Amino acid sequence: MSYDRAITVFSPDGHLFQVDYAQEAVKKGSTAVGVRGKNVVVLGVEKKIVAKLQEDRTVRKICSLDDNVFMAFAGLTADARIIVNRARVECQSHRLTVEDPATVEYITRYISSIKQRYTQSNGRRPFGISSLIVGFDFDGTPHLYQTDPSGTYHAWKANAIGRSAKTVREFLEKNYKEDMESDTDTIKLAIRALLEVVQSGGKNIELAIMKRDESMKMLAQEEIEEYVTAIETEKQKKT
Amino acid sequence: MNEVQNYGPERKIEFLHGTTTLAFKFQHGVIVAVDSRATAGAYIASQTVKKVIEINPYLLGTMAGGAADCSFWERLLARQCRVYELRNKERISVAAASKLLANMVYQYKGMGLSMGTMVCGWDKTGPGLYYVDSEGNRVCGDLFAVGSGSMYAYGIVDSGLKQKDLTVEEACDLGRRAIYQATYRDAYSGGQVNLYHVHSEGWNRVSQSDVLMLHQQYQAEKA
């Protein structure tokens, strides 16, 4: 059997079809949005509707990688688990060899190089996830990076991945303000962006925030509802 | 007690343990002072050995033990530091550099490496000084002296460092004095005193003084 042959090969016009197909898999995943404010970074995901008998809290799409970095993903959950595990180990390895916490850029670069390796390996397929990685470096600068199945990464001020990513990104482009001082504004922007595409409002949103020098905090359902109500009131006032 | 044969394939390799190297932190950075004598038993092989290895413009390493071991591994360290700088777009910290060296030599523990080095530099947390050796020790500290003449050097530096806030000039004199005293009493140290100062912009070579000249100078001062 030809398991020694690469699965990702170039097409005659220069495409890596397996990578393109992986990106299609990402587009099927539930939406995730990330916003980088001045003093807070926010990640929000669309919660998948669970079956009646399924326990709600076992499916977590936002994972912390270290005290200063966390990420959300869109695409194949099982693939994401592998990436998250490797990234968590690498964060600790970095702390051990360099005696300093990893910067957000370092861990993003590490994740991207894993993904790239799988586009150039024997018998393996690319990872079917895009991820949004946010956090603060130990000098206090906030960062938001996006990686995709090809292994490239870019820094963003605000971005969305997964289903309806395009719509959400357009919304963010219209409504993002430079240097949002207020934490509440940053959080509200993320929620408003998700509300554009998520059905039935706040119940289907999962949100995590991180303020500088603090650890990641998952917002409770009630807190999200508070923000949603505030947003609705503002909307009413405008119309 | 096992006897180590001094001939045949199992013989002990003669090393540069005869040396005095020291480094200490102070308000304006790190002073690194070393002698320059190499001995093979009672024979003085050289009086002009360079025992400070310039890893990069802001990191220095000292040499005690096997000269080949020290210079080889520190050159390898220089390569790793440069790769780190290129990958991460910032200088490597002294802690990380010393950790890389310690991890490199730890893999050869028990195989006969002999290296006792001090990694000195300045990074964003200020002056950094680490002692790393081939046994696997890696210790952070404010003052280290390594080699056969280290005890004599400690005596001088310990008393000189009592006063707070040394100026650069005073700290250099202290380092020079300490190495001189070590060469005065230790047969295996001598030659010249090579003095370096590490500050926020990097290191610079302060002086190279022959110990016989220093002897004359200090004698004149006493009179």
Side-chain angles (χ1 to χ4, degrees):
Chain A
M1 283 254 51
S2 52
Y3 282 123
D4 57 328
R5 286 243 232 101
I7 284 183
T8 313
V9 288
F10 278 113
S11 70
D13 63 343
H15 278 131
L16 285 172
F17 277 130
Q18 284 299 311
V19 174
D20 292 341
Y21 300 158
Q23 274 156 348
E24 290 299 312
V26 169
K27 286 194 200 141
K28 287 206 166 56
S30 46
T31 322
V33 77
V35 184
R36 180 194 84 194
K38 212 159 182 231
N39 305 306
V40 72
V41 286
V42 183
L43 278 183
V45 294
E46 174 193 359
K47 254 202 301 206
K48 276 223 291 270
I49 307 159
V50 297
K52 259 209 209 153
L53 290 174
Q54 192 176 55
E55 293 271 17
D56 198 292
R57 295 283 132 185
T58 51
V59 184
R60 271 269 137 86
K61 283 194 43 159
I62 302 178
C63 325
S64 73
L65 300 178
D66 200 351
D67 294 333
N68 60 328
V69 190
F70 60 111
M71 68 173 259
F73 60 89
L76 293 131
T77 317
D79 284 6
R81 214 173 45 232
I82 304 294
I83 296 276
V84 168
N85 273 338
R86 296 251 197 101
R88 283 174 174 163
V89 173
E90 181 60 22
C91 281
Q92 297 311 309
S93 265
H94 187 275
R95 275 182 190 257
L96 179 60
T97 44
V98 181
E99 291 194 347
D100 259 333
T103 58
V104 188
E105 200 262 336
Y106 178 88
I107 201 64
T108 308
R109 209 173 346 126
Y110 178 76
I111 290 174
S112 305
S113 56
I114 298 178
K115 288 187 176 175
Q116 190 282 336
R117 218 173 302 144
Y118 277 67
T119 69
Q120 223 181 356
S121 275
N122 285 334
R124 301 194 224 182
R125 62 161 177 81
F127 283 95
I129 63 161
S130 280
S131 52
L132 289 174
I133 302 160
V134 294
F136 287 90
D137 290 345
F138 52 91
D139 65 355
T141 23
H143 292 282
L144 162 63
Y145 285 95
Q146 185 221 355
T147 66
D148 61 26
S150 64
T152 53
Y153 68 92
H154 300 277
W156 290 76
K157 299 176 189 170
N159 199 6
I161 50 176
R163 197 175 11 231
S164 333
K166 220 164 161 236
T167 327
V168 180
R169 206 174 303 129
E170 279 165 10
F171 178 86
L172 288 169
E173 278 174 19
K174 262 197 237 113
N175 292 283
Y176 181 86
K177 281 191 229 60
E178 285 290 335
D179 289 332
M180 272 180 289
E181 285 278 355
S182 143
D183 295 347
T184 334
D185 282 342
T186 319
I187 300 171
K188 276 210 203 125
L189 179 62
I191 297 182
R192 276 161 63 209
L194 268 179
L195 284 173
E196 293 281 307
V197 293
V198 151
Q199 312 111 311
S200 45
K203 271 202 294 331
N204 285 342
I205 292 178
E206 202 171 274
L207 210 81
I209 66 166
M210 182 189 280
K211 298 195 188 159
R212 185 178 290 112
D213 295 329
E214 288 180 25
S215 45
M216 174 184 98
K217 191 173 154 240
M218 301 279 318
L219 293 190
Q221 204 49 52
E222 304 86 50
E223 293 176 274
I224 301 179
E225 288 297 335
E226 271 179 41
Y227 281 110
V228 173
T229 345
I231 291 167
E232 309 270 281
T233 345
E234 278 170 22
K235 252 204 216 157
Q236 302 276 1
K237 281 208 204 130
K238 280 206 198 130
T239 52
Chain B
M1 184 87 137
N2 277 335
E3 292 225 48
V4 181
Q5 292 180 308
N6 227 10
Y7 54 88
E10 302 279 327
R11 72 170 184 274
K12 243 171 63 173
I13 308 174
E14 294 293 330
F15 286 121
L16 239 189
H17 287 122
T19 188
T20 315
T21 59
L22 73 83
F24 62 87
K25 278 195 227 177
F26 71 116
Q27 197 194 17
H28 300 286
V30 190
I31 294 288
V32 183
V34 299
D35 78 315
S36 66
R37 178 175 288 185
T39 48
Y43 171 66
I44 296 177
S46 168
Q47 292 269 62
T48 53
V49 179
K50 286 205 70 193
K51 296 188 188 177
V52 173
I53 293 147
E54 298 158 7
I55 295 169
N56 64 39
Y58 51 93
L59 275 182
L60 290 174
T62 61
M63 188 197 289
D69 285 338
C70 289
S71 55
F72 177 81
W73 289 105
E74 292 187 18
R75 288 195 77 199
L76 220 51
L77 177 64
R79 186 181 78 119
Q80 273 311 101
C81 290
R82 179 63 182 147
V83 172
Y84 179 97
E85 227 177 74
L86 288 169
R87 284 198 180 134
N88 296 287
K89 295 180 206 152
E90 63 168 16
R91 286 188 192 170
I92 192 171
S93 65
V94 188
S98 58
K99 198 86 179 245
L100 286 179
L101 181 63
N103 288 337
M104 278 194 265
V105 296
Y106 186 73
Q107 297 187 300
Y108 293 85
K109 187 174 160 71
M111 295 195 217
L113 281 185
S114 171
M115 181 193 83
T117 182
M118 294 177 284
V119 180
C120 328
W122 187 296
D123 57 36
K124 54 173 166 296
T125 58
L129 176 56
Y130 284 82
Y131 167 72
V132 178
D133 72 19
S134 44
E135 296 301 298
N137 287 315
R138 174 181 166 270
V139 201
C140 179
D142 289 338
L143 159 66
F144 290 110
V146 181
S148 55
S150 58
M151 292 302 135
Y152 309 113
Y154 271 128
I156 302 297
V157 186
D158 282 336
S159 37
L161 270 185
K162 268 204 222 123
Q163 352 148 355
K164 292 260 148 182
D165 302 346
L166 288 172
T167 64
V168 177
E169 185 81 47
E170 287 169 340
C172 290
D173 280 339
L174 187 62
R176 210 176 289 124
R177 189 80 197 225
I179 297 290
Y180 159 75
Q181 290 297 149
T183 62
Y184 188 69
R185 283 293 175 180
D186 178 31
Y188 298 104
S189 305
Q192 295 122 24
V193 180
N194 284 314
L195 196 79
Y196 288 73
H197 172 217
V198 188
H199 48 81
S200 53
E201 310 299 308
W203 56 260
N204 58 272
R205 185 135 177 247
V206 175
S207 66
Q208 177 184 60
S209 341
D210 190 298
V211 295
L212 297 172
M213 295 294 174
L214 284 178
H215 177 75
Q216 307 228 346
Q217 183 193 319
Y218 292 139
Q219 290 294 86
E221 279 168 21
K222 266 199 234 165

